[in-house]
């Protein structure tokens, strides 16, 4: 036998049971985004590599070691499977001059690729929903993003998702903090791990979010960014907090929250849960006022966030969230050539009236077809044999309620099905 091939490690198939839950989740998410006035945008999955180097930063986990980059064999162009969506979204907004029409509230969703060590909640192809607000400079939009998340957790019935908040200030403020931070870390150089030593002069801020347990007290006592913020940054940060308090959203200021991407400034936040083990961050974002300019656009402030769909779904499932399996309204049983032709007409007619219909395909005895009809979960079978075909009528058989099979003409079928579904629902409600 030929050996079967497997999917790439860390890249998952999402099989129908699970994919139905994804679709249900995506429906909720779409309604939620619309209710805040965000509009969809779809970007390519492959982008020029320099886009991510410029946007995310050369000295970041993503660019240093997680990108799927390759050379286009035909023209030598350096390309990368997108590791996140913000850079592409901003690139698209600049390319299509979207900001000349005013500020934009946008969202996208889809697969992202990072070459990480696969484990629960961490994959090489994973999915994000990303939200970006381009052209907004106030704390109001930052607060809107956080309130949006809180509402989504509520819509999904998620519990135990907590908000962590920090401000990274402006580049100047960060530079002053950085000098003090480097001096402090230099003083404890012998305690730093390899990563820390390497980052000390390239990206010392990232040392603050180390997960190494031996460094926790060292970074806890490091100089705090918040102490370096000037009046404007403090006012902005305060503005966000006032709106959060008004909305009753509680949070914790986490002085070590610095985010892994270089483009952030001022407000940054993460939503974390303790229910998913080590991979507990379900959503992260913040403000990135210099990115548009950095990618060649006219300067425009912006803020956004992204959530990990796999992690959110795991949490949703854990709290009992489940999608109803998709069931047809009608299963069409047919035996014989004429019957099959009538079955196709009947099924199409019903679909034309908005019913979900499974037509039996592949032949088989009447008995085996009826078994399939039962197993499909459909409440009604339409039964067509040679008798029915000869008269142009079909049999209508309720599969759950009492009632026996009745004959109906094709042009009265949709009404009869509607009536039958209605009676079944009445009976189900009555028995509750
Ligand atoms: P982490 O610290 O877990 O690596 P991150 O800071 O790299 O996360 P972001 O780039 O901010 O993550 O992406 C936003 C969200 O996307 C994360 O909060 C998480 O929910 C999800 N996410 C990121 N990387 C992965 C991955 N490899 N597999 C699954 N989900 C992921
Ligand atoms: Mg990461």
């Amino acid at each position: 036998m030929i050996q079967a091939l497997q999917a790439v490690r860390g890249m998952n198939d999402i099989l129908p049971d699970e994919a139905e839950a994804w679709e249900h989740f995506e429906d909720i998410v779409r309604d939620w985004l619309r209710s805040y006035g965000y509009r969809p945008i779809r970007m390519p999955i492959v982008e020029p590599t320099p886009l991510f180097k410029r946007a995310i930063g050369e000295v970041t986990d993503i660019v240093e070691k997680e990108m799927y980059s390759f050379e286009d064999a035909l023209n030598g162009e350096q390309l990368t499977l997108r590791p996140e969506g913000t850079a592409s979204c901003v690139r698209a907004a600049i390319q299509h001059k979207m900001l000349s029409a005013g500020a934009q509230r946008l969202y996208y969703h889809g697969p992202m690729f990072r070459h990480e060590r696969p484990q629960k909640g961490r994959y090489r192809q994973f999915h994000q929903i990303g939200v970006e607000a381009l052209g907004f400079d106030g704390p109001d939009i930052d607060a809107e993003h956080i309130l949006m998340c809180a509402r989504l957790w509520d819509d999904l019935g998620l519990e135990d998702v907590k908000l962590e908040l920090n401000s990274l200030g402006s580049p100047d403020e960060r530079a002053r903090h950085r000098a003090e931070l480097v001096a402090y870390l230099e003083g404890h150089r012998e305690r730093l791990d390899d990563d820390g030593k390497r980052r000390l002069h390239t990206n010392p801020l990232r040392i603050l979010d180390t997960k190494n347990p031996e460094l926790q007290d060292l970074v806890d006592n490091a100089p705090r960014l918040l102490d370096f913020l000037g009046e404007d940054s403090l006012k902005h940060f305060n503005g966000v907090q006032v709106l959060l308090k008004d909305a009753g959203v509680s949070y914790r200021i986490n002085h070590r929250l610095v985010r892994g991407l270089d483009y952030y400034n001022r407000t940054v936040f993460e939503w974390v849960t303790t229910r998913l083990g080590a991979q507990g961050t379900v959503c992260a974002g913040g403000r990135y006022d210099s990115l548009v300019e950095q990618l060649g656009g006219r300067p425009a402030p912006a803020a956004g966030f992204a959530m990990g769909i796999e992690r959110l779904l795991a949490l949703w499932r854990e709290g009992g969230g489940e999608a109803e399996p998709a069931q047809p309204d009608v299963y069409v049983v047919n035996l014989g050539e004429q019957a099959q032709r009538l079955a196709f007409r009947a099924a199409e007619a019903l679909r034309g009236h908005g019913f979900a219909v499974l037509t039996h395909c592949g032949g088989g005895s009447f008995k085996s077809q009826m078994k399939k009809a039962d197993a499909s979960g459909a409440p009604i079978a339409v039964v067509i044999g040679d008798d029915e075909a000869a008269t142009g009528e079909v049999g209508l058989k309720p599969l759950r309620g009492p009632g026996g099979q009745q004959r109906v003409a094709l042009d009265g079928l949709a009404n009869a099905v509607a009536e039958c579904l209605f009676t079944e629902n009445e009976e189900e409600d009555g028995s509750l």
Side-chain angles (χ1 to χ4, degrees):
M1 228 170 55
I2 299 172
Q3 204 188 348
L5 296 173
Q6 304 276 313
V8 176
R9 190 164 120 83
M11 304 201 181
N12 301 311
D13 298 307
I14 299 158
L15 303 181
D17 279 347
E18 216 188 319
E20 274 169 356
W22 279 60
E23 291 197 344
H24 182 59
F25 173 81
E26 284 157 7
D27 287 344
I28 295 175
V29 165
R30 236 190 309 274
D31 287 346
W32 161 73
L33 286 162
R34 260 192 222 124
S35 78
Y36 283 87
Y38 283 74
R39 299 182 66 203
I41 180 167
R42 300 185 181 213
M43 301 83 65
I45 285 170
V46 178
E47 294 275 2
T49 304
L51 172 67
F52 301 114
K53 290 195 173 167
R54 238 206 268 179
I56 300 170
E58 299 263 6
V59 195
T60 56
D61 282 349
I62 295 180
V63 172
E64 278 182 343
K65 52 190 183 199
E66 296 174 0
M67 293 210 299
Y68 280 91
S69 297
F70 57 98
E71 189 181 294
D72 184 320
L74 295 180
N75 63 11
E77 202 179 346
Q78 296 300 319
L79 302 175
T80 293
L81 294 181
R82 64 181 186 195
E84 55 106 55
T86 304
S88 310
C89 184
V90 169
R91 196 251 328 121
I94 296 168
Q95 184 173 338
H96 303 285
K97 303 187 175 57
M98 291 173 70
L99 284 167
S100 61
Q104 301 281 329
R105 284 180 164 93
L106 303 170
Y107 77 87
Y108 49 81
H109 60 100
M112 306 294 163
F113 302 84
R114 296 185 193 176
H115 203 285
E116 306 196 63
R117 191 169 69 78
Q119 52 197 294
K120 184 169 171 273
R122 192 176 291 287
Y123 310 101
R124 291 180 174 173
Q125 174 175 325
F126 63 101
H127 298 75
Q128 283 185 341
I129 295 158
V131 170
E132 318 287 353
L134 309 179
F136 295 88
D137 64 0
D140 44 5
I141 205 82
D142 303 12
E144 175 173 290
H145 286 170
I146 293 170
L147 297 193
M148 281 174 81
C149 296
R151 178 168 298 279
L152 182 62
W153 314 152
D154 211 46
D155 289 351
L156 293 169
L158 300 185
E159 280 165 11
D160 293 338
V161 192
K162 299 214 157 60
L163 175 62
E164 306 215 324
L165 196 62
N166 196 15
S167 173
L168 300 181
S170 68
D172 282 354
E173 291 153 4
R174 232 172 22 243
R176 277 197 292 277
H177 168 258
R178 180 189 159 120
E180 295 255 340
L181 179 64
V182 171
Y184 169 83
L185 293 171
E186 282 281 13
H188 299 87
R189 200 187 157 80
E190 76 294 346
R191 286 194 54 196
L192 292 178
D193 55 16
D194 288 349
D195 236 19
K197 288 197 178 92
R198 202 163 47 85
R199 294 242 149 109
L200 188 51
H201 292 286
T202 53
N203 198 346
L205 204 55
R206 287 309 310 277
I207 299 175
L208 290 180
D209 75 356
T210 175
K211 287 174 181 125
N212 184 343
E214 277 157 29
L215 295 180
Q216 297 307 306
D217 68 304
L218 182 70
V219 288
D220 273 340
N221 293 314
R224 294 174 161 187
L225 245 168
L226 209 58
D227 299 329
F228 291 78
L229 298 194
E231 205 181 321
D232 288 350
S233 290
L234 280 173
K235 198 168 153 227
H236 187 103
F237 197 36
N238 191 47
V240 177
Q241 294 178 62
V242 166
L243 291 171
L244 294 185
K245 283 182 185 137
D246 280 352
V249 172
S250 49
Y251 57 88
R252 179 178 84 93
I253 293 188
N254 176 355
H255 296 282
R256 293 176 41 195
L257 183 62
V258 296
R259 308 288 305 115
L261 302 84
D262 276 358
Y263 50 59
Y264 286 109
N265 66 301
R266 289 200 169 160
T267 320
V268 288
F269 63 89
E270 285 191 4
W271 289 91
V272 294
T273 177
T274 50
R275 290 196 178 197
L276 294 177
Q279 269 56 253
T281 306
V282 292
C283 175
R287 181 158 279 285
Y288 51 90
D289 290 329
S290 50
L291 186 60
V292 177
E293 184 178 17
Q294 213 173 299
L295 292 181
R298 288 192 27 203
F305 62 93
M307 40 204 186
I309 302 186
E310 284 84 353
R311 293 184 194 175
L312 272 179
L313 274 169
L315 194 58
W316 187 47
R317 284 263 170 89
E318 224 217 76
E322 219 34 83
E324 293 272 310
Q327 284 178 345
D329 299 313
V330 176
Y331 193 98
V332 183
V333 167
N334 59 95
L335 204 66
E337 203 182 310
Q338 291 308 313
Q340 187 184 51
R341 292 172 67 183
L342 185 57
F344 267 70
R345 281 170 57 206
E348 285 303 324
L350 286 173
R351 292 185 189 112
H353 281 87
F355 296 107
V357 183
L358 251 181
T359 308
H360 182 85
C361 286
S365 70
F366 183 72
K367 198 171 151 204
S368 76
Q369 291 195 33
M370 283 309 287
K371 261 194 192 158
K372 292 226 165 82
D374 272 326
S376 76
I380 299 172
V382 163
V383 181
I384 309 178
D386 284 340
D387 280 4
E388 287 86 355
T391 59
E393 290 180 329
V394 304
L396 189 69
K397 185 173 164 54
L399 294 174
R400 291 201 217 117
Q405 186 166 327
Q406 47 169 318
R407 274 208 178 191
V408 289
L410 196 55
D411 56 7
L413 180 59
N415 276 341
V417 165
E419 213 165 280
C420 192
L421 280 175
F422 182 73
T423 335
E424 292 229 350
N425 286 338
E426 290 266 283
E427 267 162 19
E428 261 174 36
D429 290 350
S431 66
L432 279 178

